[in-house]
């Protein structure tokens, strides 16, 4: 999407204010959101980016008749300062002392305004968010926008995406059909509703708006959203049928036949907002994040409407045998690409030509090697390639226009992943490009120690992410270091690279860090450390949770490392590793070597892999 000039941003704000005056609105809220709670947005829904010019992935804008402000978090402070410069928007540094909340700021900005209306698009705000704003300031009147202003003022707005939808191969999703999955959802809702109130009023539908949940339920995938193989739709499940609200152009004749076999009827996407289409007593998954527009249309008031908030994400998170086999295949494909890339990079270093490369060029080269696999479908997120000081910016992403050149010293942090037909990958390697400082070696080894500790964790059934987090942080904490991001997130099976509900992090998040680990869950293991203005280190693999031994104290669990890629040994301070940690690393490298060597046809690649996995 074209990034506007400050003058264009001013013109867009002026157009919105004209619309606001026309409808007697004093303040308009613009979140970074779509009606599906997606992490990545289709261009059609990038209204906040369009009107502010700020391209970060998180933030909320508020435009009043007199002011314009944007809230975003610390990941994007520097970027927002640069992109909002000379525009009408003022940056609000979310989380910093002295920065008011959005509701607090609006209360002051609107003080003394008679019949003041603060409006928003009900498709983009969930019911719980609306109620939270009311609780924070009951005196503010939060109202529903009479229409979508961007449908009028964004004259060249991209249309809703409509890419071909395809079936996920049974080899990688398992034998359960869409009809069987929908029946499982229906029966779970019925059982839960009965447990709440056996005399409840009749109901006849279950509502899904999360795109990954819809894709998983129907065993379908698409390409409507960058990095996530999903398609834009709503799904309403009934006892013997279902309605899929989406553009019929998504589907070939063959796919239409498949939907008919699964008893899924097509409806126009926008019809989900028509009362006659959806009027029912609904129960739905992720009820707390349900868009207000749907809740208001369907008149949903059943007390058990949050029934599947917990169960459905858990079903998706616990991979079956076919999905686990798909992960293993995806790791082999990724491992082959990474070996080829690392050999190319090391050859550039040895030849003294690394200074001709940039963060952007190495990211492009890695994608090139991944794309050699016939099963490759694209990246699972934008590649993070941060050299030296840029590596200390946790979510730094080089672009064709903004990147740094490499040189023959220091550390390159490379966090990347791919979507393959068989699975999704996500890994980080921090690579020595030459001479390192003592602190760089020290920090790198502490991060590696934490990574190993989590990877070989042995823990009782019922252990949660907030309990496991200490394993990865302990070596860093003992040396006075820490990191601000989480240690691990779930990963989808050829679905979203960020998947819940389970996470490993030090901060308590209800329904996330208190979710016990179960067999089949896939989680990242990615401790890091970032020295501002100097360098960053992160080492990341994917882990698969499985049952281990049973002792007199109960059932114990453990992790299997899925990722197949050598960990750079050049930066390691061997004096900081104990014998068991060295043994773990040697065993891991032996597995990588054993699994990848038969897949490499080029002898130079094979030689590089043997050298990179030599025992310490």
């Amino acid at each position: 999407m074209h990034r506007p000039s400050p003058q264009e941003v001013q013109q867009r704000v002026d157009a919105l204010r004209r619309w606001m005056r026309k409808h007697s609105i004093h303040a308009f809220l613009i979140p970074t959101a779509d009606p599906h709670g997606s992490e990545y947005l289709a261009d059609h829904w990038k209204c906040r980016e369009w009107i502010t010019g700020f391209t970060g992935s998180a933030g909320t804008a508020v435009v009043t008749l007199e002011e314009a402000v944007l809230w975003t978090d610390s990941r994007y402070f520097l970027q927002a300062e640069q992109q909002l410069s000379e525009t009408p928007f003022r940056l609000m540094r979310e989380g910093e002392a002295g920065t008011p909340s959005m509701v607090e700021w609006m209360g002051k900005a609107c003080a003394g305004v008679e019949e003041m209306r603060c409006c928003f698009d009900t498709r983009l705000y969930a019911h719980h968010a609306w109620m939270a704003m009311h609780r924070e300031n009951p005196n503010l009147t939060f109202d529903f926008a009479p229409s979508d202003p961007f449908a009028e003022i964004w004259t060249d707005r991209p249309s809703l995406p409509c890419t071909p939808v395809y079936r996920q191969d049974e080899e990688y999703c398992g034998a359960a059909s869409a009809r069987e999955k929908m029946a499982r959802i229906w029966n779970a809702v019925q059982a839960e509703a009965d447990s709440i109130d056996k005399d409840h009023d009749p109901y006849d539908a279950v509502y899904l708006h999360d795109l990954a949940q819809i894709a998983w339920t129907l065993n379908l995938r698409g390409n409507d959203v960058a990095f996530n193989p999903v398609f834009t739709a709503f799904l309403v499940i009934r006892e013997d049928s279902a309605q899929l609200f989406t553009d019929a152009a998504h589907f070939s004749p063959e796919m239409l036949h498949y939907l008919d076999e699964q008893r899924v009827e097509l409806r126009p996407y926008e019809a989900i907002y028509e009362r006659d289409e959806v009027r029912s007593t609904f129960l739905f998954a992720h009820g707390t994040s349900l868009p207000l527009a749907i809740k208001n249309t369907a008149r949903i008031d059943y007390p058990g409407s949050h029934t599947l908030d917990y169960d459905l994400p858990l079903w998706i998170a616990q991979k079956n045998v076919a999905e686990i086999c798909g992960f293993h295949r995806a790791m082999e494909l990724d491992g082959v690409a990474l070996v080829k890339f690392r050999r190319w990079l090391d050859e550039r270093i040895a030849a003294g030509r690394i200074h001709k490369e940039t963060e952007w060029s190495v990211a492009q080269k890695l994608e090139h090697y991944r794309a050699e696999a016939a099963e490759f479908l694209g990246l699972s997120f934008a590649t993070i390639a941060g050299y030296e000081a840029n590596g200390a910016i946790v979510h730094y992403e080089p672009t064709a226009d903004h990147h740094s050149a490499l040189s023959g010293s220091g550390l390159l942090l490379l966090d990347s992943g791919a979507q393959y037909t068989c699975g999704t990958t996500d890994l980080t390697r921090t690579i020595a490009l030459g001479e390192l400082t003592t602190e760089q070696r020290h920090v790198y080894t502490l991060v590696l120690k934490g990574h190993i500790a989590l990877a070989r964790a042995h823990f009782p059934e019922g252990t949660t992410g907030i309990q496991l987090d200490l394993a990865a942080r302990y070596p860093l904490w003992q040396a006075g270091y820490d990191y601000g991001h989480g240690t691990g997130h779930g990963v989808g099976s050829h679905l979203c690279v960020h998947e819940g509900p389970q996470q490993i992090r030090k901060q308590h998040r209800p329904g996330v860090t208190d979710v016990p680990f179960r067999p089949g869950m896939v989680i990242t293991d990615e401790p890091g450390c970032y020295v501002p203005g100097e360098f960053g280190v992160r080492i990341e693999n994917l882990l698969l949770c499985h049952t281990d031994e049973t002792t007199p104290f109960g059932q114990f669990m453990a992790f299997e490392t899925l990722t197949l890629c050598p960990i750079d040994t050049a930066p390691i301070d061997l004096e900081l590793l104990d014998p068991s940690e060295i043994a773990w690393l040697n065993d891991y490298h032996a597995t990588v070597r054993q699994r990848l060597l038969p897949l490499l046809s080029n002898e130079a690649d094979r030689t590089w892999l043997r050298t990179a996995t030599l025992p310490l």
Side-chain angles (χ1 to χ4, degrees), residues 388-402:
E388 289 290 74
N390 289 339
I393 304 172
V394 176
H395 290 90
Y396 171 84
E397 296 172 10
T399 66
D401 300 322
H402 185 270

Side-chain angles (χ1 to χ4, degrees), residues 68 78 128 199 423 509 586 613:
L78 180 59
H128 74 96
D199 299 320
R509 292 189 178 180
N586 287 341
T613 57

Side-chain angles (χ1 to χ4, degrees), residues 209-419:
H209 72 291
D210 180 283
L211 301 184
Q213 291 182 5
I214 294 169
W216 179 86
T217 299
L218 298 178
N219 292 332
L220 298 176
R221 301 294 188 267
N223 194 33
D224 281 1
V225 180
F227 310 121
N228 294 338
V230 296
F231 58 100
T232 307
F234 300 96
L235 179 64
V236 176
I237 301 171
R238 303 183 188 276
E239 186 170 14
D240 296 313
S241 64
Q243 288 77 47
L244 184 63
F245 293 79
T246 190
D247 191 330
H250 276 112
F251 301 94
S252 65
E254 178 186 1
M255 292 305 303
L256 289 173
H257 178 67
Y258 168 78
L259 291 178
D260 187 57
E261 287 181 326
Q262 304 304 315
R263 298 180 186 172
V264 177
E265 306 164 4
L266 281 182
R267 296 284 190 274
Y269 178 75
E270 294 293 338
I272 194 70
Y273 303 114
E274 297 174 9
R275 192 177 300 278
D276 289 341
E277 280 282 356
V278 298
R279 194 170 189 174
S280 301
T281 303
F282 275 65
L283 297 178
F284 41 60
H286 280 301
T288 56
S289 62
L290 182 74
L292 271 167
I294 302 297
K295 190 176 194 304
N296 295 339
T297 298
R299 294 179 178 171
I300 299 168
D301 56 7
Y302 184 72
S305 60
H306 61 287
T307 299
L308 288 182
D309 275 358
Y310 190 67
D311 290 346
L312 184 54
L314 270 179
W315 297 347
I316 299 172
Q318 291 181 258
K319 312 306 182 213
N320 60 35
V321 172
E323 290 168 330
I324 291 170
C325 289
F327 268 107
H328 283 300
R329 173 61 179 158
M331 297 306 158
E332 290 175 346
L333 296 170
D334 226 35
V336 166
L338 284 152
V339 167
K340 293 178 179 180
F341 167 78
R342 283 300 314 275
R343 178 180 70 83
W344 169 82
L345 185 67
D346 282 2
E347 287 176 350
R348 300 292 281 175
I349 295 171
R353 300 177 62 83
I354 193 64
H355 65 282
K356 295 185 177 294
E357 303 299 334
T358 68
E359 296 163 332
W360 176 249
S361 70
V362 297
Q364 294 299 106
K365 194 70 174 180
L366 178 51
E367 183 175 358
H368 163 77
Y369 283 122
R370 281 185 164 125
E372 290 182 348
E375 299 95 326
F376 176 76
L377 295 174
L379 300 180
S380 57
F381 57 95
T383 298
I384 297 170
Y387 177 57
E388 289 290 74
N390 289 339
I393 304 172
V394 176
H395 290 90
Y396 171 84
E397 296 172 10
T399 66
D401 300 322
H402 185 270
H403 54 256
S404 295
L406 307 184
S407 67
S409 64
L411 294 172
L412 171 66
L413 190 156
L414 194 58
D415 187 349
S416 67
Q419 292 284 0

Side-chain angles (χ1 to χ4, degrees), residues 326-340 342 370 420 425-429 540-543 560-567 587-600 608-609 613:
F327 268 107
H328 283 300
R329 173 61 179 158
M331 297 306 158
E332 290 175 346
L333 296 170
D334 226 35
V336 166
L338 284 152
V339 167
K340 293 178 179 180
R342 283 300 314 275
R370 281 185 164 125
Y420 299 98
T425 69
D426 180 4
L427 82 158
T428 307
R429 291 294 182 264
E540 175 188 15
N541 283 341
L542 296 192
L543 308 178
E560 171 196 349
T561 297
L562 295 173
T563 305
L564 298 172
C565 178
I567 294 171
D587 288 344
Y588 173 66
H589 279 160
T591 298
V592 172
R593 185 171 61 250
Q594 179 185 12
R595 293 275 298 281
L596 294 186
L597 270 180
L599 306 177
L600 295 167
W608 182 91
L609 178 60
T613 57

Side-chain angles (χ1 to χ4, degrees), residues 26-27 62 64 66-67 69 90 102-113 116 140:
H26 188 267
V62 176
T64 72
E66 296 83 22
E67 297 184 78
V69 289
R90 180 159 53 95
M102 182 183 69
V103 173
E104 182 183 358
W105 181 88
M106 290 176 65
K108 294 178 180 178
C110 299
V113 179
M116 178 274 302
L140 272 178

